[in-house]
């Protein structure tokens, strides 16, 4: 909480792999301007691999490996990666011949094992994570679901069908926020209802109702098909 101690902390910023070197440097400069002098910028995919290794690195038995599909969907961007978790016993016998695998810029990446509290487990086993493949889409995110619901309610609710407001107006933003809240409810419940105040005809309150199945149908082309193609 005390930024005066920031010099003693290591800040790591995870960014999309598509970020250019100039963009990464600008992020470091911005951090420095905010009194964060000790910072590192890494790809979000490498960050996911490192976190997975920390949490599940000990779950692979000796001389074994496991392939993992990771889907990371944020509000405006989605990344999909295939990771391979490998036990160190196999790595000791075969150092993965990394130099021979560097055939192009999309070379496979090795994430070095992380020292867990400066100790190893009882067997001395340390695993590594290899990024076999990754792809990122800067236009696919959970925010699309909000927009899909927004257009659905505008077209189907009588109290909104005749209401004249634009998406960037106060009423439009209130409707979009109601769609976002409804989306979050449906992540926990099969059906949900949200009331948005004073946005309908004659400043009436509007009740938004939807089910997971409805959202799935509405998002088939905008979200699900694009996600499947990435996978």
């Amino acid at each position: 909480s005390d930024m005066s101690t920031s010099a003693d902390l290591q800040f790591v910023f995870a960014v999309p792999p598509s970020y250019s070197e100039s963009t990464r440097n600008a992020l470091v400069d911005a951090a420095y301007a905010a009194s964060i002098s000790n910072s590192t910028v890494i790809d979000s995919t490498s960050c996911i691999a490192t976190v997975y290794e920390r949490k599940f690195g000990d779950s692979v038995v000796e001389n074994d490996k496991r392939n993992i599909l990771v889907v990371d969907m944020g509000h405006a961007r989605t990344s999909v990666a295939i990771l391979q978790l490998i036990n160190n016993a196999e790595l000791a016998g075969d150092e993965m011949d990394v130099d021979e695998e560097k055939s192009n810029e999309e070379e496979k990446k090795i994430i070095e094992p992380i020292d867990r509290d400066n100790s190893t487990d009882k067997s001395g086993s340390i695993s590594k994570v290899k990024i076999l493949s990754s792809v990122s889409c800067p236009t696919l995110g959970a925010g699309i679901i909000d927009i899909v619901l927004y257009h659905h309610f505008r077209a189907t609710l009588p109290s909104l069908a005749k209401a004249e407001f634009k998406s960037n107006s106060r009423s439009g933003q209130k409707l979009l926020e109601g769609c976002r809240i409804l989306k979050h409810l449906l992540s926990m419940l099969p059906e949900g209802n949200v009331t948005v105040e004073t946005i309908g005809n004659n400043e009436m309150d509007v009740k938004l109702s939807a089910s997971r199945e409805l959202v799935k149908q509405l998002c088939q082309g905008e979200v699900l098909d694009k996600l499947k193609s990435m996978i």
Side-chain angles (χ1 to χ4, degrees):
S1 60
D2 184 3
M3 290 306 296
S4 63
T5 63
S6 63
D8 301 326
L9 300 176
Q10 174 69 38
F11 291 82
V12 179
F13 300 101
V15 301
S18 59
Y19 270 27
S20 64
E21 190 65 26
S22 60
T23 303
R24 296 165 190 256
N25 292 336
L27 179 57
V28 173
D29 292 341
Y32 185 81
S35 300
I36 300 175
S37 58
N38 193 11
S39 63
T40 304
V41 179
I42 66 171
D43 287 349
S44 56
T45 305
S46 298
C47 183
I48 291 172
T50 302
V51 171
Y52 191 92
E53 192 278 329
R54 288 180 68 97
K55 294 185 67 175
F56 304 106
D58 296 333
S59 63
V60 179
V61 298
E62 186 174 345
N63 295 322
D64 195 11
K65 56 187 175 183
R66 176 186 304 163
N67 293 337
I68 308 103
L69 174 67
V70 179
V71 178
D72 179 21
M73 177 176 284
H75 183 75
R77 179 183 295 269
T78 296
S79 297
V80 177
I82 299 177
L83 312 179
Q84 187 174 79
L85 184 62
I86 311 169
N87 185 274
N88 73 319
E90 180 175 338
L91 291 172
D94 179 5
E95 291 299 327
M96 306 306 294
D97 295 328
V98 176
D99 292 337
E100 297 180 4
E101 294 182 3
K102 295 181 179 179
S103 56
N104 51 48
E105 293 182 356
E106 297 299 324
E107 63 195 19
K108 300 173 182 178
K109 299 178 181 178
I110 296 290
I111 305 302
E112 293 299 328
I114 294 177
D115 184 5
R116 299 179 182 82
D117 298 328
N118 298 319
S119 64
T120 59
D121 59 21
K122 294 181 181 180
S123 64
S125 175
I126 299 178
S127 299
K128 285 187 178 181
V129 173
K130 177 195 289 186
I131 302 174
L132 299 180
S133 179
S134 66
V135 64
S136 178
C137 179
T139 59
L140 176 61
I144 295 179
I145 301 176
D146 307 345
I147 298 174
V148 169
L149 286 172
Y150 175 94
H151 291 296
H152 167 72
F153 290 126
R154 283 279 284 146
T156 58
L157 292 181
S159 56
L160 292 178
K162 295 182 180 180
E164 296 183 359
F165 59 84
K166 298 181 180 180
S167 59
N168 60 350
S169 65
R170 182 172 179 273
S171 296
Q173 290 299 308
K174 290 175 66 175
L175 175 58
L176 191 61
E177 176 64 13
C179 293
R180 184 189 66 82
I181 296 174
L182 180 60
K183 175 190 66 180
H184 289 169
L185 282 176
L186 294 176
S187 70
M188 300 177 288
L189 304 171
E191 297 181 347
N193 301 288
V194 172
T195 298
V196 183
E197 299 179 349
T198 63
I199 65 168
N201 296 326
N202 300 319
E203 298 295 317
M204 295 177 56
D205 296 346
V206 175
K207 183 178 181 180
L208 310 178
S209 302
S211 65
R212 289 182 183 173
E213 187 60 31
L214 174 63
V215 173
K216 182 178 178 180
Q217 295 174 6
L218 293 174
C219 295
Q220 184 65 48
E222 291 290 337
V223 179
L224 296 179
D225 289 346
K226 292 181 180 178
L227 182 59
K228 289 179 180 178
S229 67
M230 291 180 65
I231 294 175

